[in-house]
Amino acid sequence: MTTTLLDLPTPCALLERQRLEANIARMQRRIAGLGVALRPHVKTAKCLEVATLQRNAGARGITVSTLKEAEIFFRAGFDDILYAVALPPNKVHAAVALRRAGCALKVVVDSLAAAQALLALAQVERCPLEVLIEIDSDGHRAGVPPESDELLAIGRALHEGGMVLAGVMTHAGASYDCRSATALVAMAEQERSRTVRAAARLRAAGLPAPVVSVGSTPPALAAE
């Protein structure tokens, strides 16, 4: 029996596979051409099949916006996961559980207070977490400015407190307000340069910062 659009229950997500695969390949080529790894955010599709297509195309790891997403994708075989929301104290236990289950979960803090709270709870759990510091690269969302004293204070607290200081990350949400190609290129460079600067300051202070993670969708396509 042939299924038609009228046979599908609603609400229903319907994707044109050829166009989907073309978009995935386009983004992968773009990021590979810049010499960096692509870690797609799964919050938009929320679909294991889409994430699998992205991984097969060359993506390395995924990003999630909830720990429930992390749990579901981990059970499906995705073990390199960035939880790109500042980790609140009431979710530390769930993050630790994922780590203990074998998930290479990376979490984020965006203030010294958040880092200190994470340290206290993770030490009770006796489980070091891999942590990135969120950088405010556009004065718009969250995180610490790259030139701030707080950046180094967070880095020292995490590193000396037994956490794995993995580096820095940002999301330039202001990029979605850009209305021209020139503005997007400028925002992409601002996002890149400020986050790289934050990593350089950590390294100059003797702290590790192996990961520098940037790129909302518009800058990813506009970056030079």
Side-chain angles (χ1 to χ4, degrees):
M1 180 181 295
T2 301
T3 300
T4 71
L5 289 176
L6 296 177
D7 297 320
L8 297 175
T10 56
C12 174
L14 187 64
L15 302 178
E16 183 180 335
R17 187 181 182 101
Q18 185 175 9
R19 183 171 297 183
L20 170 67
E21 292 179 341
N23 286 338
I24 290 172
R26 175 192 178 207
M27 182 64 81
Q28 187 63 47
R29 283 195 305 270
R30 173 64 177 157
I31 299 305
L34 294 172
V36 295
L38 175 63
R39 178 185 290 274
H41 207 311
V42 301
K43 70 177 182 181
T44 301
K46 295 187 186 294
C47 179
L48 293 170
E49 291 82 0
V50 171
T52 298
L53 288 172
Q54 291 173 310
R55 181 172 60 185
N56 292 345
R60 290 160 52 186
I62 60 171
T63 303
V64 300
S65 57
T66 70
L67 287 177
K68 178 57 67 176
E69 289 173 354
E71 292 168 6
I72 291 171
F73 279 84
F74 175 58
R75 287 200 300 267
F78 293 83
D79 59 359
D80 182 357
I81 300 175
L82 169 62
Y83 176 41
V85 179
L87 186 68
N90 66 343
K91 294 187 178 179
V92 171
H93 181 74
V96 167
L98 279 164
R99 289 284 298 189
R100 285 180 172 153
C103 180
L105 180 71
K106 299 156 186 63
V107 300
V108 171
V109 296
D110 62 354
S111 70
L112 181 57
Q116 291 169 337
L118 172 60
L119 279 168
L121 290 167
Q123 287 168 350
V124 170
E125 295 274 4
R126 297 180 182 275
C127 180
L129 294 172
E130 195 170 348
V131 188
L132 287 90
I133 304 171
E134 184 170 8
I135 304 304
D136 182 359
S137 61
D138 61 3
H140 182 68
R141 288 174 59 88
V144 295
E147 300 292 344
S148 68
D149 293 336
E150 188 175 13
L151 169 67
L152 300 183
I154 294 170
R156 289 193 189 96
L158 292 171
H159 187 59
E160 295 171 2
M163 297 297 103
V164 179
L165 180 55
V168 292
M169 60 79 65
T170 194
H171 176 79
S175 64
Y176 290 92
D177 295 328
C178 295
R179 293 293 178 264
S180 70
T182 300
L184 274 175
V185 169
M187 178 58 70
E189 174 56 21
Q190 175 178 306
E191 180 186 47
R192 184 207 65 79
S193 63
R194 292 184 181 182
T195 312
V196 167
R197 171 60 179 160
R201 291 190 66 224
L202 288 169
R203 293 165 186 161
L207 297 166
V211 174
V212 180
S213 179
V214 304
S216 49
T217 301
L221 294 171
E224 296 182 338

